[in-house]
Amino acid sequence: MPDIYCSTCRKPTQHKVIMKRSEPEQTETLTGKVVSFTQLMAKFVTGEHYYEMEPHYFCRCCNHRAIGEVIPHPARQTSAVL
């Protein structure tokens, strides 16, 4: 779980990551629909997700959705011992 600054808690807290579907762009023309269908079939054949996904971060303390820079958790950092 990444540590991100939470504006509600006013401190860096652990956040859970939930993948949500990105909003597709609407295509009105016939060529746009053909291109969209072709891309969907290419993703199906290669085994990728049918939909584009984007991560959403939610605070573990207050469950508020956070948008910010990911701060590495200090307990999970590994240091090389020489």
Side-chain angles (χ1 to χ4, degrees):
M1 287 180 282
D3 280 355
I4 301 175
Y5 180 78
C6 179
S7 59
T8 306
C9 298
R10 295 188 178 153
K11 62 181 178 178
T13 59
Q14 291 187 349
H15 283 64
K16 58 186 169 186
V17 181
I18 298 176
M19 298 299 287
K20 291 204 175 187
R21 210 186 281 180
S22 299
E23 292 296 322
E25 54 190 48
Q26 297 295 327
T27 55
E28 299 292 328
T29 63
L30 180 63
T31 56
K33 290 181 181 182
V34 169
V35 168
S36 177
F37 179 74
T38 306
Q39 290 173 347
L40 176 67
M41 287 296 112
K43 287 182 180 181
F44 177 72
V45 170
T46 59
E48 294 181 21
H49 290 284
Y50 301 140
Y51 302 101
E52 296 295 324
M53 305 292 276
E54 61 185 18
H56 291 261
Y57 298 96
F58 292 90
C59 179
R60 285 278 187 187
C61 297
C62 65
N63 208 30
H64 180 260
R65 182 170 175 219
I67 300 173
E69 186 175 327
V70 176
I71 303 167
H73 193 278
R76 295 197 178 133
Q77 291 179 349
T78 58
S79 59
V81 178
L82 299 176

